[in-house]
Amino acid sequence: MQTDEFFACIAHYSVSDLTNQLYFINTSKCILLHLSVSLQKLFSLSQESGRSAAKFIINNNPKLFTKDFAEPHIPCLMPETVSLRLEEVSEEALKERITLRKVTAAVDMYDQLLQAGTTVSMETTHSLLDLICLYSDRDPVQDGEPQTDDAEFGEELKKRKARVRRASDFLKFTWKENNNAERIFNLLPERDTRCYSALIRGMVKHGAYAKAFSMYTDMLNNRLTADVHIFSALISAAPDVRDKFNERWDLIELLNQMNQQKVRPNLLTFNSVLKSLRRCGFLAKTQALHTLNEMKALGIGNAAIRVFYYLRDLFLRACFLSLQCLDSKDLELGYKIQSLVDVGENWRLLGDSFQQSIYYGRFFNLLCMMEHIDVVLKWYKQIIPSLYYPNPQGMRDLLQALDTDSRLDLLPSIWKDIKTLGHDNKPDLVEELLGLMAREKHSPEVQESFAACALDVKSVFDLRPSIEWSAASLSHITTLLLRFPVTLFPAVLLYSEGLLNNFLSVCHSDGDPQKAVELVQLSAAFCLPTTWRLAKRALAEFDLTEEQR
């Protein structure tokens, strides 16, 4: 479809209609009954993609979306007003450009005002510096526009090479020397704390950490007092300008300077402290407790989600991810941690979907080792697959729990779950399942279900030629079929002569004549035409006892 045709088709939509349509297009392909971790991530990305696509189309074609059926009016669903209305050189025109986040246009207007001899108010100058520093002297990139190349990756991005890069890392601009923010700052006849605050926060945001501290020193030399925003920004940048943990903490202790300058810290300040403490090694936990006590002394609430997030990293990450209660087999402690997770929205403290999967995997492993099988199965139904999409090891833990409590009769149902979860292509896991079923005899009803399960396993493997049968798996299936009732005999005709000959060859290489005899008996029981050839090979290739002959 051509672009004009596309816009003609969507012109009759309201803004909310278009948002819903694009959201549906991007997410409908990802909605499944059971979402794996990767599909959950794809689903979230599709949601964001739908929103971004709708926003891009709306903002670039505002005339096509004049209908507004929403009651009450929802401004965020309407096209953004991005066109300039004031063209004359005036402070009002400058304010308009600042409001519309037109960085380049705002700087040009400011320069024109200075050239015309017009004095710009300090309030407007503050807003202009804020805008320039927020976007690092560049116009903000609109959704859907190509990114401009930036040769300078910046100090912050260089220090993130050890982890996987996020898209947001590449969207960040780095601070350039002598940019318009610094130029305008140097042209000011008087510079107050607010001006310094804009530049220092901009430098920290865009990776110029050392320069931010240099600017702070310059401000103190000019006998100005920093505000709480300056201190919060510098505290968050402290780990990036010092290498040793002790030196980092000494720099974080700008709180002492705040006290000397009689600047009261706020919640953002303490969030910056806790965030920086995550990079202070062995000092982190002790100083975090002191920080919390300081917050209480100042009457600053510590119930903010960001505070809990940093505390999770400092104290609970080892417990959630390593689950020390697992190492000590402390089931009671495991339940206590899970009870905390179940309160309100505490589950968010577990982190992203990957970390949540690790936590629930460790918790489920602890249950399988220490809890009764009935309780294990209760948790199994509760958390799988909505909260935990088990990997093959998780399913092995469950198989071992069933074996420990003698509930092997449930193995056929677990095989169905293994198929649903996509682990039926793991030969080792399938071999362990078959081995448990074939290890000993059970009641006729159970043997019948085991035989049906074995045939289902065979049918799955037959559909996947790339998966090779192991000798143990073939042996287990043969054993299971030899035990099952006559009512299921015809199903064995699914066996091909080639498979039976291959199995006989495996028996020969393993030196197992008894399995070879059982194979011939199985073939004879079903009156297969290849029986005589199998018997001839067995007599010729194996050293059989008189009874076996």
Side-chain angles (χ1 to χ4, degrees):
M1 182 182 292
Q2 299 297 322
T3 304
D4 294 340
E5 295 174 346
F6 172 71
F7 287 134
C9 291
I10 65 173
H12 67 282
Y13 281 106
S14 67
V15 173
S16 58
D17 287 338
L18 178 65
T19 304
N20 292 334
Q21 291 292 331
L22 290 174
Y23 172 84
F24 175 77
I25 291 172
N26 282 275
T27 60
S28 59
K29 295 182 179 179
C30 299
I31 300 177
L32 300 174
L33 180 60
H34 302 304
L35 291 179
S36 65
V37 174
S38 59
L39 286 180
Q40 289 174 359
K41 182 181 294 185
L42 180 60
F43 178 73
S44 299
L45 292 174
S46 296
Q47 283 183 319
E48 187 61 29
S49 175
R51 296 189 187 101
S52 298
K55 186 176 180 181
F56 172 74
I57 295 174
I58 291 169
N59 290 337
N60 284 272
N61 303 274
K63 295 180 181 179
L64 298 176
F65 304 98
T66 57
K67 296 180 180 180
D68 183 14
F69 301 116
E71 294 182 3
H73 173 68
I74 306 177
C76 66
L77 293 182
M78 296 303 294
E80 296 179 359
T81 303
V82 294
S83 57
L84 298 173
R85 299 179 180 178
L86 301 178
E87 297 297 336
E88 71 278 4
V89 178
S90 65
E91 186 168 337
E92 289 301 317
L94 174 58
K95 291 180 180 179
E96 180 191 44
R97 284 154 176 77
I98 294 174
T99 301
L100 296 178
R101 298 181 299 169
K102 302 288 187 180
V103 178
T104 303
V107 171
D108 291 342
M109 181 59 67
Y110 180 83
D111 290 338
Q112 293 179 44
L113 288 171
L114 293 186
Q115 292 173 3
T118 304
T119 302
V120 180
S121 67
M122 186 59 73
E123 181 181 359
T124 304
T125 302
H126 290 161
S127 299
L128 177 61
L129 288 175
D130 285 340
L131 177 68
I132 299 173
C133 294
L134 177 63
Y135 294 107
S136 190
D137 197 16
R138 296 171 176 84
D139 287 314
V141 177
Q142 299 296 324
D143 294 334
E145 291 184 2
Q147 303 293 327
T148 57
D149 292 332
D150 191 354
E152 301 176 18
F153 285 98
E155 299 173 28
E156 182 175 7
L157 294 186
K158 289 179 181 178
K159 295 182 179 181
R160 294 184 178 182
K161 288 183 178 179
R163 68 163 174 81
V164 178
R165 293 273 181 86
R166 298 175 182 171
S168 58
D169 292 340
F170 296 98
L171 296 180
K172 291 182 178 179
F173 293 119
T174 55
W175 188 268
K176 290 188 176 181
E177 293 287 336
N178 302 317
N179 59 17
N180 282 314
E182 294 184 28
R183 180 178 64 84
I184 293 174
F185 177 85
N186 293 327
L187 289 175
L188 294 176
E190 295 183 3
R191 303 156 194 154
D192 57 9
T193 298
R194 186 72 171 73
C195 297
Y196 278 99
S197 179
L199 263 71
I200 291 175
R201 285 185 289 166
M203 291 172 179
V204 170
K205 178 178 176 62
H206 299 291
Y209 308 114
K211 193 162 188 174
F213 279 93
S214 177
M215 181 68 69
Y216 172 67
T217 302
D218 182 66
M219 182 192 70
L220 295 180
N221 292 335
N222 288 325
R223 303 194 178 191
L224 292 174
T225 301
D227 61 18
V228 66
H229 304 295
I230 292 177
F231 282 113
S232 299
L234 293 176
I235 289 172
S236 66
D240 293 285
V241 294
R242 295 289 187 272
D243 294 327
K244 296 181 179 179
F245 295 149
N246 289 327
E247 294 177 350
R248 290 177 179 179
W249 173 246
D250 291 340
L251 204 54
I252 292 173
E253 282 198 306
L254 287 166
L255 294 169
N256 294 330
Q257 296 186 31
M258 295 183 72
N259 185 40
Q260 295 172 4
Q261 298 181 35
K262 297 182 180 181
V263 177
R264 180 182 175 84
N266 58 17
L267 181 60
L268 179 61
T269 307
F270 288 107
N271 279 342
S272 299
V273 173
L274 294 173
K275 178 182 178 181
S276 296
L277 278 174
R278 296 187 304 173
R279 299 170 61 186
C280 289
F282 62 91
L283 295 173
K285 293 184 179 180
T286 302
Q287 300 302 338
L289 293 176
H290 293 330
T291 302
L292 288 178
N293 292 332
E294 187 71 17
M295 293 175 67
K296 293 178 181 178
L298 294 174
I300 296 177
N302 58 6
I305 188 65
R306 183 58 59 177
V307 173
F308 281 119
Y309 174 78
Y310 293 137
L311 290 177
R312 187 280 315 249
D313 275 5
L314 291 171
F315 291 96
L316 300 182
R317 173 175 291 179
C319 197
F320 280 154
L321 299 187
S322 300
L323 210 57
Q324 296 169 1
C325 55
L326 175 63
D327 299 332
S328 61
K329 298 181 174 57
D330 192 337
L331 184 61
E332 182 180 358
L333 178 58
Y335 276 129
K336 286 182 179 179
I337 295 176
Q338 180 59 30
S339 65
L340 290 175
V341 174
D342 288 337
V343 175
E345 295 189 349
N346 285 354
W347 59 270
R348 297 181 183 275
L349 299 175
L350 296 177
D352 57 25
S353 58
F354 177 71
Q355 292 174 327
Q356 290 179 27
S357 179
I358 294 177
Y359 165 74
Y360 280 110
R362 296 294 180 87
F363 178 63
F364 186 67
N365 177 267
L366 178 64
L367 292 174
C368 291
M369 286 195 304
M370 306 299 297
E371 192 57 276
H372 188 270
I373 188 60
D374 291 337
V375 179
V376 173
L377 292 175
K378 177 183 176 182
W379 280 100
Y380 177 76
K381 294 178 181 179
Q382 181 177 336
I383 68 176
I384 295 175
S386 58
L387 298 176
Y388 171 48
Y389 202 88
N391 55 19
Q393 183 57 49
M395 299 309 296
R396 287 193 187 93
D397 295 337
L398 179 59
L399 294 179
Q400 293 170 7
L402 292 171
D403 186 20
T404 301
D405 284 350
S406 301
R407 291 302 308 272
L408 297 182
D409 57 295
L410 298 176
L411 289 177
S413 63
I414 300 302
W415 163 247
K416 293 179 181 179
D417 291 343
I418 289 176
K419 289 199 301 180
T420 302
L421 295 169
H423 298 321
D424 53 351
N425 61 345
K426 306 297 190 299
D428 293 342
L429 178 62
V430 175
E431 180 178 320
E432 184 171 348
L433 175 80
L434 293 171
L436 290 174
M437 291 192 294
R439 188 176 61 192
E440 55 193 22
K441 291 184 178 181
H442 298 269
S443 65
E445 294 80 9
V446 174
Q447 288 298 157
E448 183 174 353
S449 65
F450 282 0
C453 180
L455 288 173
D456 191 41
V457 172
K458 177 192 174 299
S459 65
V460 170
F461 271 52
D462 286 344
L463 293 175
R464 302 186 180 190
S466 59
I467 303 178
E468 295 184 359
W469 285 97
S470 66
S473 294
L474 287 171
S475 176
H476 296 328
I477 287 184
T478 302
T479 301
L480 290 169
L481 293 178
L482 282 171
R483 294 174 182 165
F484 79 123
V486 180
T487 53
L488 287 177
F489 278 7
V492 83
L493 294 176
L494 293 173
Y495 274 105
S496 65
E497 182 175 351
L499 178 60
L500 295 175
N501 278 302
N502 289 338
F503 180 71
L504 194 62
S505 299
V506 171
C507 293
H508 184 266
S509 61
D510 291 346
D512 193 345
Q514 182 57 35
K515 291 297 182 184
V517 172
E518 291 176 358
L519 178 64
V520 176
Q521 290 175 330
L522 177 66
S523 179
F526 303 135
C527 302
L528 298 181
T530 190
T531 302
W532 72 272
R533 284 187 289 269
L534 293 175
K536 184 178 179 180
R537 278 194 60 190
L539 289 170
E541 298 178 11
F542 292 87
D543 185 12
L544 304 178
T545 65
E546 191 61 33
E547 181 182 357
Q548 289 173 334
R549 285 179 176 275

